[in-house]
């Protein structure tokens, strides 16, 4: 061992102890006759002291030549510091160095290894191993490890068995694009990397495993939006002989356990909301309920006057922005510009200032009198001093636009507190969603999700309104988990494939093994998967998953540190019976 | 929830309780007026009873029509069994059924769902979800999950952080063949799947993570020998500021912890042996030391007589087989045939029977007298009643052959006890090994392994005899883990690449990021990786890893259940800029 103690552990009680420490030079101060060095490792920082009187001259000189990020080993005595530092755990002591051994030199790092660094995103990614030396990045990774342990301990305590499912599986065109892996031993054939272990966990239920979980890497070859990664981690779970209620209860308990264990936050019973309610109240199936600003549907009143834009709109809907009644004309114009940006796409915005004296001033005073506006205020819950923002148009689009505005304003008004946790179950998702591109219905979750039994009849008559036994767990406006009760009856599964536009042959080719399995006694089962990267980020009070991944890829799916992907040589291609066509 | 209790939990104390159970029909007995059904789930079996007197006639009829593996739900009362079954945890009670609900029917399974099944390997693989219903397979998977939890708890308790390293990385021709993944977004380029997270864990050490572990899937595109899988799981570990001794100590402690926790076996300090010693004593770098039969080098005595075969051999080496002195001529001939099989490849075998009266009878009595043979007996440790088997030829080959014979005889003599655990550290492995095919030295572990400092000079003069700070953990004749002290000096690393035949450009192209990282203060570090599949199998008292993997692949790398790999469609190929050439 190169050390007797780590750099975070020495205290006043260790004074006079002979110690050996090793670590990185965080910084040094050289007064000529005296040199101080901050020595850093994962556990903390300890101050080293070299001086003319007590230190061998050669060693003092050596100390004067240490650069940042050199790796050194020192032997010395723990002594009391003259000027103590209460901000450091080791601030009462320092090490009077007798021996100094440079283990590795370092070039000047391309950015500062400090809590706040001067390095930009790309540079930090290229030198990720240096970025990881910074406290915030390292703490995030340690935090992630801790959350994973708590998840495992909780689930193991509930009799869940962690089962590893295969990574080299079979390509299925349903869902997102698969990454594929050419097989050398089976020429011209490919494995696929799993988008989730969905079918395997269902097979484990058919196999009687009863309660399964796995913290597992999954893969999706998508055009990457900001903060999406081609490989991501899921907490994947499945249970047999359960109903939706049982799944919600156990994972609510798990989430509460995590909040308590890693954040010391106690949360009461999670509220539940149907998908339809979430869309009406928040225009969003993953609403952030840490703050209000619920939608008020103004259609009925707003359409009763001569304002053509509202009268021609499918819906008119508004939110009350607390305290924004005092916004200047300029500020309000900026808001209007914001909703008109192509990313949001509204055509305009109507506003109402709720004056402190109870009167209203709106951008549509020509059409609506004070009584009309009072109704708007009542419906949106606006108080004197608030600003009502109103959008109109087609229902779905308008709600999405108002939701974007609501989130933006909450951000600006600092209503999204990182240390506040507001979980929410959203239930009764639609089973199917219409896909414009392929001109047919797709499964909103996946083809194995069970419709609500009372809605099965609507599959042929009104497919868009069939509800599923599907649910999402939302935390602070982010979907952190989602799942469903599964179909376990082969006839219902066949019916689903039919409604999703699979021919019998296609269904057979892709999911034959699952349909076969249903022939041999499938138990009722249901499950859920958490997006682990996001869960950890949100528990950590942040929303950028990249900060919680040791070696993330950039938006082009590249690892800029190792420079992957890259070309492979012709021998390799030939062995795989492949030719590159670019 | 479909049940109030599972099928393993009801006891005499529950008599008169109303319960709901759900599970699979293990078997039923129909006496016409009375039907018994064994209901099975993961937790056990509970007997159900239906009878003319107490059961509704319709339900009795329903019960008479239940087939094996039907999934049912029953409601009823716990009653005392007339004939108790002490072999079952629930053997004191049975359920008098009042309601029966068939949840899923089942076709007759293709093999029996019993501890000993009539299903062959391929059939069980194809219907793996049915195989998993069998107790031994399910128990293996639960055991695996438990071992993983114990590993994690142990390492987390020692301040190791579990960090997930990426799966989509970069192809490196060194080592085994990589599986590659074409990148759609980076045309003509490929990711590779990791053969191990080796470089990433070293980067984590350079990043100051100090103690890292991960239970992680790795991939190797090899022609599969029996019991090799293209994807396998490693317990991967790395530590900073440590020396070999520290690594051996902590992982010895971990292994001892596992043996205690999952097998309740206490093991004393693990013996250590150099690679050279292991080769000389056992002809094998992973000797099974649960039994003796150590090699005796007879070269000196055996070559002193007129037996040409021995005189021309590089070595003459023998083992004493306990109690085999009574083997018949036929049995010995069979042994000779066994060593002459092409898989072993010996040209013949000399034997000496050690008679109970202290005399010897050998197949080479023409050349050797009783005194000669007494020396052989002394050197091999043979006692009266033993058989000495002697092979000769080139040192390396002959030792390998005798090792094979030793293991075979131990198997036949039942000396390899599944409940006995004999761990062993093998240390001081050679740094390099000669590769006939490429006519150059390869790294025996990998190119990042540190030579012993005192042997560095030999790199140019006597490369085959440079020893590495590399070690294997052997358990019962299987390598369960291996690792090394790593190079952390960029100059030494460059020297190693040179000796391994890399040009500077090649080294740069493949490992440039690691060599760059060495420029910024790399700490001394060392690590180890356990083969988790094998570790679990051996702790489970077995040697076939496939039995401890939920969904294994066959020897052609195929998953016969899901039928992967498979063809992918032309659209997918086109998107990947690929053409299949077969």
């Amino acid at each position: 061992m190169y050390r007797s103690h780590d750099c975070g552990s020495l205290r006043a009680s260790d004074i006079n102890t002979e110690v050996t420490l090793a670590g990185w030079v965080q910084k040094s101060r050289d007064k000529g006759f005296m040199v101080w060095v901050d020595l850093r490792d994962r556990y903390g920082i300890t101050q080293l002291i070299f001086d003319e009187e007590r230190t061998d001259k050669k060693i003092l000189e050596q100390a004067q030549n240490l650069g940042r990020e050199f790796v050194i080993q020192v032997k010395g005595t723990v002594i009391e510091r003259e000027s103590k530092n209460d901000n450091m755990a080791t601030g009462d002591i320092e090490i009077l160095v007798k021996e100094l051994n440079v283990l590795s030199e370092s070039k000047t790092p391309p950015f500062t290894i400090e809590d706040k660094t001067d390095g930009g995103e790309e540079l930090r990614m290229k030198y990720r191993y240096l970025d990881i030396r910074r406290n915030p990045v390292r703490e995030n990774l340690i935090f992630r490890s801790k959350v994973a342990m708590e998840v495992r301990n909780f689930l193991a305590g509930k009799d869940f068995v962690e089962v590893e499912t295969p990574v080299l599986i079979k390509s299925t065109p349903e869902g997102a694009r698969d990454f594929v892996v050419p097989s050398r031993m089976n020429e011209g054939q490919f494995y696929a990397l799993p988008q989730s272990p969905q079918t395997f966990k269902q097979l484990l239920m058919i196999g009687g495993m009863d309660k399964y979980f796995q913290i597992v890497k999954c893969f999706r070859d998508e055009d990457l939006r900001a903060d999406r990664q081609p490989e991501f981690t899921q907490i994947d779970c499945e249970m047999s002989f359960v109903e939706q209620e049982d799944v919600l209860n156990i994972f609510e308990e798990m989430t509460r356990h995590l909040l308590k264990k890693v954040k010391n936050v106690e949360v009461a019973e999670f509220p539940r909301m149907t998908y339809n309610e979430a869309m009406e109240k928040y225009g969003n199936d993953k609403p952030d309920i840490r703050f209000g600003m619920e939608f008020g549907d103004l259609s009925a009143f707003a359409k009763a006057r001569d304002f053509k834009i509202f009268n021609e709109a499918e819906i008119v809907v508004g939110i009350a922005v607390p305290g924004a009644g005092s916004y200047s004309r300029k500020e309000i114009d900026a808001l209007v510009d914001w909703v008109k940006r192509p990313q949001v796409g509204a055509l305009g915005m109507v506003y109402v200032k709720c004056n402190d004296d109870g009167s209203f001033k709106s951008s549509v005073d020509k059409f609506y009198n004070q009584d009309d506006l009072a109704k708007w205020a009542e419906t949106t819950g606006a108080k004197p001093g608030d600003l009502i923002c109103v959008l109109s148009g087609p229902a779905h689009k308008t709600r999405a636009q108002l939701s974007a505005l609501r989130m933006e304003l909450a951000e600006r008004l600092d209503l999204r507190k990182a240390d506040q946790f507001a979980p929410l179950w959203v239930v009764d998702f639609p089973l199917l969603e219409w896909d414009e591109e392929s001109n047919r219905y797709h499964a909103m979750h996946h083809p194995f999700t069970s419709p609500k039994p009372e809605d099965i009849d609507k599959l042929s008559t009104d497919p868009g309104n069939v509800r599923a036994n599907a649910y999402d767990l939302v935390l602070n406006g982010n979907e952190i988990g989602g799942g469903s009760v599964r179909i376990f009856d082969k006839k219902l599964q066949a019916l689903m494939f039919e409604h999703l536009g699979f021919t019998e042959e296609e269904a057979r080719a892709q999911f034959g093994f699952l349909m076969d399995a249903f022939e041999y006694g499938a138990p009722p089962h249901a499950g859920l998967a958490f997006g682990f990267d996001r869960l950890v980020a949100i528990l950590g009070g942040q929303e950028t998953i990249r900060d919680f991944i040791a070696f993330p890829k950039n938006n082009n799916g590249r690892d800029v540190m190792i420079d992957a992907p890259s070309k492979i040589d012709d021998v390799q291609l030939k062995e795989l019976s492949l030719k590159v066509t670019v």
Side-chain angles (χ1 to χ4, degrees), chain A:
Chain A
M1 191 79 86
Y2 285 76
R3 63 191 175 201
S4 61
H5 296 77
D6 63 55
C7 294
S9 61
L10 292 169
R11 300 286 180 273
S13 56
D14 298 300
I15 284 167
N16 293 327
T17 311
E18 299 296 308
V19 298
T20 309
L21 297 185
W24 286 262
V25 172
Q26 175 71 28
K27 62 178 183 201
S28 62
R29 275 175 302 151
D30 179 3
K31 297 250 180 197
F33 60 95
M34 203 174 261
V35 174
W36 291 270
V37 169
D38 276 359
L39 189 68
R40 185 197 72 229
D41 67 11
R42 171 180 139 198
Y43 310 95
I45 285 182
T46 299
Q47 181 166 289
L48 313 178
I49 182 165
F50 307 76
D51 73 28
E52 253 176 7
E53 274 174 41
R54 295 173 291 180
T55 310
D56 185 278
K57 195 163 170 252
K58 251 181 79 179
I59 292 177
L60 181 63
E61 269 175 33
Q62 244 190 317
Q64 285 168 327
N65 290 315
L66 292 174
R68 282 190 180 228
E69 301 306 316
F70 276 39
V71 181
I72 62 172
Q73 181 189 38
V74 294
K75 289 183 190 189
T77 314
V78 182
I79 60 173
E80 190 173 359
R81 260 210 222 188
E82 281 192 22
S83 55
K84 300 201 172 36
N85 181 344
D86 288 345
N87 298 322
M88 287 172 71
T90 63
D92 287 348
I93 59 96
E94 59 192 357
I95 312 296
L96 179 64
V97 177
K98 287 175 196 147
E99 270 184 62
L100 168 60
N101 180 11
V102 175
L103 300 171
S104 287
E105 299 193 349
S106 174
K107 295 204 290 194
T108 306
F111 50 84
T112 54
I113 312 292
E114 308 272 357
D115 287 10
K116 295 237 174 234
T117 181
D118 56 355
E121 180 83 1
E122 276 288 303
L123 202 61
R124 287 172 45 215
M125 287 298 149
K126 184 166 163 54
Y127 296 93
R128 184 64 165 175
Y129 45 87
L130 297 180
D131 204 26
I132 290 173
R133 287 188 194 162
R134 295 172 51 239
N135 291 324
V137 180
R138 191 186 55 240
E139 292 307 324
N140 283 351
L141 296 180
I142 293 174
F143 181 73
R144 181 184 178 111
S145 170
K146 191 176 169 196
V147 175
M149 277 302 287
E150 287 298 339
V151 167
R152 286 195 165 94
N153 285 329
F154 176 86
L155 291 174
K158 298 279 182 195
D159 270 343
F160 281 76
V161 180
E162 185 160 27
V163 180
E164 293 175 56
T165 53
V167 176
L168 298 171
I169 64 165
K170 184 173 176 156
S171 189
T172 56
E174 186 69 8
R177 229 181 253 105
D178 285 323
F179 281 106
V180 295
V181 181
S183 167
R184 183 181 52 89
M185 294 216 283
N186 302 271
E187 289 186 335
Q189 299 188 15
F190 294 76
Y191 302 98
L193 302 180
Q195 295 183 31
S196 92
Q198 182 63 33
T199 47
F200 288 97
K201 67 177 174 176
Q202 294 194 240
L203 291 172
L204 285 172
M205 294 303 103
I206 294 170
M209 199 45 78
D210 206 73
K211 290 178 184 170
Y212 145 91
F213 85 104
Q214 189 182 188
I215 301 185
V216 60
K217 275 280 175 76
C218 300
F219 306 86
R220 225 175 261 175
D221 183 14
E222 287 180 304
D223 297 318
L224 301 176
R225 285 180 267 157
D227 215 31
R228 279 260 185 150
Q229 291 280 320
E231 55 180 293
F232 55 96
T233 304
Q234 260 182 213
I235 310 171
D236 193 48
C237 306
E238 197 79 8
M239 305 166 76
S240 290
F241 300 114
V242 293
E243 291 159 305
Q244 172 167 318
E245 192 61 26
D246 305 305
V247 178
L248 299 194
N249 285 338
I250 199 142
F251 292 103
E252 179 164 329
E253 192 184 336
M254 183 180 101
T255 308
R256 203 177 284 124
H257 171 88
L258 289 179
L259 284 166
K260 176 71 193 152
K261 283 280 185 173
V262 304
K263 299 303 290 185
N264 201 24
V265 168
E266 308 256 10
V267 181
E269 202 178 321
F270 296 4
R272 296 184 188 183
M273 193 180 285
T274 65
Y275 171 86
N276 285 337
E277 200 182 341
M279 295 309 285
E280 276 163 25
K281 269 193 177 166
Y282 300 98
N284 195 321
D285 61 3
K286 42 179 194 284
D288 189 340
I289 58 167
R290 278 176 296 184
F291 57 95
M293 292 205 254
E294 290 179 17
F295 289 12
D297 187 343
L298 311 178
S299 307
F301 330 123
K303 289 184 176 198
R305 300 288 174 265
D306 278 342
F307 188 44
K308 205 177 146 200
I309 293 177
F310 282 1
N311 293 350
E312 287 174 355
E314 187 181 350
I315 60 163
V316 180
V317 61
I319 51 172
V321 187
S326 59
Y327 275 18
S328 67
R329 182 61 200 246
K330 210 174 135 189
E331 285 173 299
I332 290 177
D333 284 348
L335 268 193
V336 175
D337 287 344
W338 192 89
V339 298
K340 286 163 92 174
R341 298 183 323 151
Q343 298 93 316
V344 183
L347 296 173
M349 183 185 96
V350 163
Y351 68 85
V352 183
K353 285 184 167 192
C354 306
N355 298 325
D356 287 337
D357 62 4
S359 67
F360 302 98
K361 173 81 195 90
S362 84
S363 58
V364 285
D365 281 351
K366 241 198 285 183
F367 303 100
Y368 300 93
N369 62 31
Q370 292 285 312
D371 283 351
D372 290 333
L373 299 178
K375 277 187 205 147
W376 295 18
E378 198 191 326
T379 309
T380 58
K383 312 239 158 335
D386 291 356
L387 178 76
I388 307 175
C389 298
V390 181
L391 300 181
S392 64
H396 195 76
K397 265 194 190 165
T398 305
R399 286 191 180 122
Q401 290 158 358
L402 193 62
S403 171
L405 178 63
R406 175 178 176 269
M407 294 300 277
E408 172 69 17
L409 285 165
E411 204 67 68
R412 293 189 192 178
L413 295 168
D414 200 20
L415 302 175
R416 308 191 68 199
K417 305 283 187 196
D419 59 352
Q420 199 185 332
F421 293 92
L424 166 74
W425 286 109
V426 178
V427 298
D428 295 355
F429 270 79
L431 181 70
L432 305 168
E433 65 185 342
W434 184 254
D435 182 58
E436 300 283 348
E437 209 175 307
S438 57
N439 207 33
R440 64 175 175 89
Y441 279 104
H442 276 275
M444 195 160 188
H445 268 71
H446 50 59
F448 317 110
T449 298
S450 178
K452 282 195 180 287
E454 61 269 32
D455 287 4
I456 291 180
D457 288 343
K458 288 194 214 158
L459 265 174
S460 355
T461 56
D462 186 11
N465 276 319
V466 175
R467 291 165 307 158
N469 277 326
Y471 33 80
D472 274 0
L473 181 54
V474 174
L475 184 57
N476 295 358
N478 293 277
E479 179 206 327
I480 57 165
S484 64
V485 175
R486 323 301 184 187
I487 297 168
F488 68 102
D489 175 69
K490 56 181 183 290
K491 287 188 212 105
L492 183 56
Q493 187 65 67
L495 185 70
M496 270 302 292
F497 283 134
E498 190 190 316
H499 280 284
L500 293 168
F502 285 79
T503 66
E504 228 177 288
E505 291 71 44
E506 283 167 346
R508 180 89 230 143
Q510 286 171 39
F511 302 110
F513 58 98
L514 188 65
M515 295 168 84
D516 285 347
F518 282 158
E519 305 265 11
Y520 292 100
H525 57 291
L528 183 139
F530 285 84
F532 187 60
D533 305 295
R534 188 157 312 279
L535 175 67
V536 172
I538 292 169
L539 290 176
Q542 297 176 39
E543 291 198 343
T544 312
I545 64 171
R546 202 175 287 188
D547 295 343
F548 290 82
I549 296 173
F551 300 101
K553 296 192 170 52
N554 74 9
N555 283 345
N556 296 319
R558 293 199 71 82
D559 183 325
V560 295
M561 178 185 72
I562 63 172
D563 192 27
S566 59
K567 302 223 158 148
I568 60 175
D569 64 31
D570 291 341
V571 180
Q572 246 173 316
L573 282 172
K574 208 179 150 194
E575 282 186 334
L576 296 171
S577 312
L578 284 182
K579 210 169 155 175
V580 169
T581 61
V582 284

